[in-house]
Every structure is written in structure tokens, then in C-alpha cells.
């Protein structure tokens, strides 16, 4: 005679499908709300200009100048003083493509001599497509 139930064959089981659904939903949320834009480590305040449509087919070589007169080509800081160190860094980053668009991003408080030095270095290397990055002004503002 058996007293009680014989439950030796029943195993305890945890249903993980709802947990997986919640984790996948959270993963989708974080992926969709994340930005993947690479921001520069150097923060500069750009001068202002009017907005126009511009041709942005190929990525431009970027030369950044901070308000203290330090030069950055792409993400590389120019080590050394003078135009020769700047020319070497530009040539190393640009390779042989002298028809490439070059953008100068200079802080609004950067001395003009530093911008002219960058333009002179580019001219000596043979670059002909040059633009200076600015911040667009709002329509109707009086600046």
C-alpha cells in the first residue's frame, strides 16, 4: 500500500523564454537609441556663416586648430613647431591624394596667423580644394 504521491519523476523547470524576450527588447532599445557618431576629442567654437548646400561626396581631410594654436590633422596632434612639422603630418595623413577636400576647423578665437599657416602648408603641398568650417547662423539673427 502506498501512502502519498510518487513524484520522483517530476523535475522543477524554469521557463526562460519571457526573460529572453525582455533582454532582447532592452538590447533593441539601447542599440536604436545609441549614437554612433565619432565626436572629436578637441572642442572648438566655430565662427558663424550662412548655410548653403555643399558637395560632400568624399570624406575631407580635417585640420583642427585650437585657440592656443595647437594643430591636429585628423585625430593626430602635430608634434613640433613650425610649418614643416605641420606639412609632414598632413602629408602622412593625406597620402598621395592632393585633389582631396581639406577642411580647416579653427576655433573662433584662434589667431589668424595660425589659420594662414595651415593654408600655407596646404598650398605648399599642392592641395587646391580648401574650405573653412563654420557654424551656421539662425535666420533673422543680427550677427
Amino acid at each position: 500500500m502506498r501512502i502519498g504521491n510518487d513524484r520522483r519523476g517530476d523535475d522543477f523547470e524554469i521557463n526562460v523564454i519571457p526573460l529572453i524576450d525582455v533582454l532582447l527588447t532592452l538590447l533593441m532599445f539601447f542599440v536604436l537609441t545609441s549614437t554612433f557618431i565619432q565626436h572629436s576629442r578637441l572642442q572648438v567654437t566655430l565662427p558663424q556663416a550662412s548655410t548653403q548646400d555643399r558637395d560632400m561626396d568624399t570624406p575631407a581631410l580635417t585640420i583642427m586648430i585650437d585657440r592656443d594654436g595647437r594643430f591636429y590633422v585628423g585625430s593626430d596632434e602635430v608634434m613640433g613647431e613650425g610649418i614643416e612639422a605641420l606639412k609632414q603630418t598632413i602629408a602622412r595623413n593625406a597620402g598621395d591624394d592632393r585633389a582631396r577636400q581639406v577642411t580647416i576647423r579653427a576655433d573662433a578665437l584662434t589667431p589668424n596667423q595660425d589659420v594662414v599657416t595651415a593654408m600655407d602648408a596646404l598650398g605648399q603641398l599642392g592641395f587646391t580644394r580648401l574650405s573653412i568650417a563654420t557654424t551656421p547662423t539662425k535666420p533673422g539673427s543680427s550677427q
Side-chain angles (χ1 to χ4, degrees):
M1 168 180 344
R2 282 192 189 161
I3 300 175
N5 294 332
D6 186 18
R7 302 191 84 170
R8 280 184 258 144
D10 293 341
D11 289 333
F12 182 70
E13 188 175 313
I14 297 175
N15 191 1
V16 294
I17 293 177
L19 177 65
I20 293 172
D21 289 343
V22 169
L23 289 177
L24 286 176
T25 303
L26 287 173
L27 178 68
M28 294 279 294
F29 172 77
F30 287 121
V31 167
L32 293 175
T33 58
S34 297
T35 57
F36 295 104
I37 300 172
Q38 180 182 1
H39 294 287
S40 173
R41 294 178 295 226
L42 178 66
Q43 298 295 323
V44 294
T45 305
L46 297 175
Q48 297 181 349
S50 64
T51 60
Q52 290 181 353
D53 290 335
R54 294 174 183 91
D55 181 25
M56 297 290 180
D57 291 338
T58 59
L61 177 67
T62 303
I63 298 176
M64 295 176 55
I65 310 167
D66 66 4
R67 65 180 63 184
D68 297 326
R70 289 188 299 259
F71 292 92
Y72 298 84
V73 179
S75 60
D76 299 337
E77 182 175 2
V78 176
M79 297 299 176
E81 295 292 321
I83 195 169
E84 290 303 319
L86 179 59
K87 284 171 48 177
Q88 290 173 0
T89 307
I90 292 171
R92 184 175 57 244
N93 283 321
D96 295 332
D97 186 13
R98 296 298 186 249
R100 186 175 181 183
Q101 176 71 34
V102 179
T103 302
I104 295 178
R105 296 176 57 92
D107 192 281
L109 300 177
T110 300
N112 286 337
Q113 182 59 51
D114 294 333
V115 177
V116 171
T117 301
M119 293 170 69
D120 188 26
L122 291 166
Q124 289 179 19
L125 290 172
F127 288 94
T128 57
R129 299 180 64 204
L130 172 67
S131 63
I132 298 177
T134 58
T135 302
T137 58
K138 295 180 182 176
S141 66
S142 61
Q143 284 190 1

